[in-house]
Amino acid sequence: MGHGFVRRPVYMWNMIFWVLNNLTFVHSHLLSRTMRFLHISPIYWKRLLVIFAFGLMTQLLGRHRQKSPSQAFTAEHPLFSPSTQTCQPKSHIVFLKTHKTAGSTVLNMLNRYGDRNSLTFALPQKHQFNYPSLFNANMVRGYDELNKPTYDILCHHMRFNLPEIRKLMPSDSFYFTILREPATLAESSFSYYHSVSRVFKRAPNLTEFIAHPLYFYKPGEKGNQHARNFQWFDLGLDPDTPFNESLARAEVREIDRVFHLVLLSEYFDESMVLLKEELCWDLDDVVNFKLNSRESSTPLKEKEKEMLWAWNALDLYLYVYFNRTFWEKVERFGRERMYIEVRRLRERRQQLAEICLEDLDPVRGNEIKENGIKPFQFGQEKIMGWVVKMDLEPNTRAWCVQMITPELRYKNILDAKQFPGSVRNGSKPTGTSAKLLRP
C-alpha cells in the first residue's frame, strides 16, 4: 500500500481499463436500463464498450504521436493536470512533522504548494524550532510579539505546543499530522539515530535493546525521545508516563479534537487522497516522490514487535485509535471511490516519474551529482534520493526539481524569498554535518 513505482507500465492500456472500469462503475444502473430498453444483451453491450474504448484510445494515441517529440520533453506533454475542484482550497495549515513517519515527503508537498502560491511560512530561526524543546512563537524567524504577524503554513520539525501555535496561526487553520506503526518506527529510529543518541549508543544492536530496554534507557535523559513513545513526545506529551488507559484515552481524544486529520504512513496514498479532499487541492498538489528514505531496513520478528509495542504502549494506543478513525474516514469517503482515487494518484506519479526522473528507483546520495538535490546524509545511514533528467524544458525541469528538493535545501530557498538580502542567505543551503540535527 506504499507509494513505490511499478516499472514502465503500458500506460495507455491502463487508461483503457480505467475507461472500462469507470464507465461500468459510474453508469451501471443507467446501462442496465438502456440495455433492457434497446433489447441489447450484456455480452454485446460489453463488446460495444470495448470498441468504444479502443476507438477513443486510438484517437488519443494518434494525437500523442503527432504532437510528442521523439527526444526531450516539452510543454506539449501533460505535465500539469487540470483542476477539477469546485470548493475553496485551504491555505492556512499546521502540519506536525513527526519523525521517521514519511513526514519529509509531506513537507515537500507543503513547501511546493506554498512556494507556488506565494504563501507565507513560519520558518525556524535555524533548521528547526529548537527541538526537542516545546514550540514557542519566539522561535519563528521574524515574529514580533507586539505586531503579531500571522502566517499561512507552519510545517517544520517542532514539539507540539498548541497555545504558542495559536499566537501566530489563523483561527481557521487546518491541523494535521502523520503516524506510523510503533514497532517499525522503533526499528527505523534505532537505525537512524544510533550514532547520535546516547541511549542507542549503549546498546550493541537492536536485538539487545528490544530485549533489555530499561538497561539502556534512562528516563529524562537528554536526547532519549528517540527511544520510547517517540510520537507521543512529538505531540508535546510525556513519553515516560506510566501507561494508564483512562489517561491515554483522555490525551488521545484531545489530540483528536485539535487535529482535523491524522494520516498513516503505511497507507500513504490513501492518506494523500483524504488530505487532498480535506484541503480541496488538486491531484498534482499532493502527488509526490518518496524522500529521505533509507537504503534498507531490518525486518522484525513477531515477538520483537510485541516487545516493542509493550515498550511503546502510549504510541501503540495512539496508533490504534487513529488507525480506527482513519478507516472510518475512508468509509465515509467511499471504498470504491478511494480505490479509483488511489489509482489516479499512482498513475499520475508514474507519469511524472517517467517525465522527470532518470531512474524510477531512488539512488544513493553519492550517485547524485547535482548538489541542490542531494539528500542530507545523517549518521551511518545511506539516505536515498533522485536524479532529475537534464534534457528537460526549463519550466518543466524546475517543477521536477521542486518535487525532490530535500527539506533543508527547500527551507533555505523559502527563507531567501521571505527574507531577501539576509546575511544568512549567503550561506550554503545544504547541511553537510550531522551536528546540525542533534538536539
Side-chain angles (χ1 to χ4, degrees):
M1 303 296 285
H3 58 297
F5 299 126
V6 178
R7 280 189 168 277
R8 304 288 180 185
V10 183
Y11 189 69
M12 288 300 178
W13 280 104
N14 286 343
M15 289 182 66
I16 289 173
F17 292 131
W18 184 89
V19 170
L20 290 173
N21 289 339
N22 283 280
L23 281 172
T24 303
F25 171 70
V26 176
H27 300 294
S28 58
H29 181 64
L30 293 176
L31 289 175
S32 62
R33 292 181 62 185
T34 305
M35 284 190 291
R36 288 197 299 269
F37 179 75
L38 297 176
H39 303 288
I40 299 174
S41 71
I43 294 175
Y44 286 109
W45 186 262
K46 289 180 181 178
R47 289 177 182 174
L48 287 172
L49 276 178
V50 172
I51 292 170
F52 168 78
F54 271 100
L56 175 63
M57 298 316 301
T58 300
Q59 293 181 36
L60 291 175
L61 282 168
R63 292 175 185 172
H64 178 75
R65 290 193 185 103
Q66 292 172 11
K67 292 183 178 180
S68 299
S70 58
Q71 298 297 325
F73 173 84
T74 73
E76 292 176 348
H77 284 256
L79 180 63
F80 314 111
S81 63
S83 174
T84 58
Q85 297 289 6
T86 57
C87 49
Q88 185 65 35
K90 292 182 175 66
S91 58
H92 296 154
I93 298 165
V94 175
F95 171 55
L96 175 62
K97 184 181 183 292
T98 50
H99 290 76
K100 314 313 300 170
T101 60
S104 294
T105 307
V106 180
L107 180 60
N108 174 269
M109 176 196 69
L110 294 171
N111 286 339
R112 282 186 283 129
Y113 185 86
D115 193 8
R116 293 169 185 170
N117 291 279
S118 301
L119 302 181
T120 302
F121 287 81
L123 297 171
Q125 299 281 359
K126 295 184 179 179
H127 60 281
Q128 57 190 10
F129 293 110
N130 203 28
Y131 188 88
S133 299
L134 286 167
F135 176 81
N136 187 288
N138 292 323
M139 298 172 180
V140 176
R141 189 172 186 214
Y143 180 75
D144 186 341
E145 184 68 30
L146 296 176
N147 296 324
K148 293 187 177 180
T150 57
Y151 302 84
D152 296 310
I153 299 179
L154 172 63
C155 59
H156 290 82
H157 269 316
M158 62 177 168
R159 191 175 179 206
F160 196 72
N161 186 1
L162 184 60
E164 289 294 312
I165 291 172
R166 283 178 170 165
K167 288 182 179 180
L168 59 141
M169 295 304 296
S171 59
D172 65 346
S173 293
F174 181 86
Y175 288 72
F176 78 103
T177 188
I178 185 168
L179 300 178
R180 183 178 179 182
E181 184 274 308
T184 55
L185 172 63
E187 183 277 327
S188 179
S189 180
F190 184 91
S191 177
Y192 193 78
Y193 294 105
H194 187 264
S195 63
V196 297
S197 173
R198 294 175 186 174
V199 56
F200 288 153
K201 281 182 176 180
R202 297 187 190 107
N205 52 57
L206 179 60
T207 301
E208 286 295 314
F209 179 80
I210 294 173
H212 310 286
L214 285 172
Y215 180 78
F216 306 106
Y217 183 86
K218 296 181 180 180
E221 184 178 44
K222 184 179 179 180
N224 70 357
Q225 70 273 3
H226 311 116
R228 188 178 196 187
N229 296 313
F230 203 173
Q231 296 168 116
W232 195 262
F233 180 88
D234 281 350
L235 282 158
L237 304 171
D238 183 1
D240 292 324
T241 300
F243 182 81
N244 177 284
E245 186 172 358
S246 61
L247 180 145
R249 182 168 57 250
E251 295 286 14
V252 166
R253 285 179 175 173
E254 177 62 16
I255 294 167
D256 196 12
R257 185 187 66 81
V258 172
F259 287 87
H260 300 89
L261 181 63
V262 176
L263 311 178
L264 302 179
S265 63
E266 289 82 7
Y267 302 96
F268 192 88
D269 287 346
E270 290 83 354
S271 294
M272 291 300 98
V273 170
L274 290 181
L275 185 64
K276 178 174 75 75
E277 178 78 3
E278 291 279 1
L279 295 178
C280 189
W281 286 6
D282 291 324
L283 180 65
D284 279 354
D285 296 325
V286 299
V287 72
N288 48 69
F289 302 137
K290 188 175 183 180
L291 299 182
N292 206 35
S293 61
R294 294 182 292 157
E295 185 176 26
S296 61
S297 60
T298 303
L300 295 169
K301 300 175 182 177
E302 286 302 313
K303 183 63 175 178
E304 291 177 324
K305 289 182 180 179
E306 293 172 3
M307 295 171 72
L308 285 170
W309 289 337
W311 174 245
N312 297 280
L314 294 169
D315 265 10
L316 180 63
Y317 191 92
L318 180 75
Y319 183 82
V320 169
Y321 180 93
F322 284 107
N323 183 287
R324 176 175 58 80
T325 63
F326 179 88
W327 291 108
E328 287 172 354
K329 291 178 187 294
V330 170
E331 288 293 338
R332 290 195 293 272
F333 184 83
R335 290 270 183 169
E336 189 65 31
R337 183 184 172 200
M338 176 60 74
Y339 172 79
I340 293 170
E341 289 297 311
V342 166
R343 183 171 58 189
R344 285 183 63 231
L345 176 65
R346 291 174 178 171
E347 287 174 350
R348 183 59 173 157
R349 181 187 295 123
Q350 182 74 30
Q351 183 186 35
L352 291 178
E354 292 176 355
I355 290 170
C356 293
L357 305 176
E358 287 287 355
D359 197 313
L360 298 187
D361 292 317
V363 300
R364 286 186 173 186
N366 59 6
E367 297 179 34
I368 301 172
K369 306 304 180 186
E370 199 169 350
N371 287 330
I373 58 176
K374 277 189 175 183
F376 179 76
Q377 299 299 316
F378 184 82
Q380 299 176 347
E381 281 294 336
K382 296 292 185 293
I383 305 302
M384 311 296 281
W386 305 95
V387 177
V388 177
K389 293 177 181 176
M390 298 300 295
D391 61 341
L392 299 175
E393 184 269 333
N395 289 337
T396 299
R397 193 170 197 280
W399 175 284
C400 295
V401 167
Q402 276 187 327
M403 291 190 67
I404 51 86
T405 298
E407 58 189 89
L408 290 178
R409 169 69 179 176
Y410 218 138
K411 184 200 74 67
N412 283 294
I413 291 172
L414 297 172
D415 195 301
K417 289 184 176 183
Q418 290 185 199
F419 302 95
S422 172
V423 174
R424 71 186 250 187
N425 291 331
S427 61
K428 290 179 67 176
T430 52
T432 56
S433 171
K435 294 179 180 178
L436 287 175
L437 292 185
R438 292 179 184 173

